Amino acid sequence: MGLFDRFKKKEPDYDPGNITIRDLKKGFFVDYDLQTWEVNEAYSYDWGDNYFTKEFQLTSASDQIYLHIDENDDLELTVAKKVKLRVIDEDLPEEIVKNEHPPKKINFKGKTYYRDGENQGYFSDKPDNDDSWTELISWDYYDEEEENFINIEQWGEREFEASYGVVAKEFQFSNIIPR
């Protein structure tokens, strides 16, 4: 490394003339649902067998959402809001601990959601740091139309997080601007 190499501008790892949702990074801006959102945080999930997904915390002037990007086979996008697990079902944490998994279906906000999958993996908010990965179990639920979903995550013995939201399409995201 030469003396002036540190002052050279780094080349982006995306095509600046064709930025897509797959290129999102912390600090980017993106339009979704008639609002402009800033990418505040970027997370990685390692589900094993070289299967990784990404999640981004997006904030607007008045709201916060989470965009989950799964590029394993086809591009799958979900947009969610965090919710306390007891809001979904007040007995759900105890049921998961007792049965070692949640029920096959959940009723929430007038809809029935069906358990679609269970994944064990690792989460990191600093994926380049090998010590930052935390183990979790994740369950996905979808309604009959597969337009709405619930996600439940278990961290350790008795710590849970939940989110609910919608399945999104790539065309719903526009004006992606890097920092």
Side-chain angles (χ1 to χ4, degrees), residues 11 25 56 73 80 83 93 102:
E11 292 296 318
K25 294 189 182 355
F56 299 95
D73 292 325
V83 63

Side-chain angles (χ1 to χ4, degrees), residues 99-131:
N99 299 323
E100 297 184 3
H101 56 78
K104 291 181 181 177
K105 64 181 180 178
I106 293 175
N107 292 306
F108 181 62
K109 292 193 172 193
K111 288 186 179 275
T112 302
Y113 295 83
Y114 302 91
R115 190 171 68 211
D116 186 61
E118 175 179 318
N119 294 299
Q120 295 185 351
Y122 295 89
F123 163 88
S124 179
D125 57 356
K126 297 177 183 105
D128 295 334
N129 179 352
D130 286 343
D131 296 333

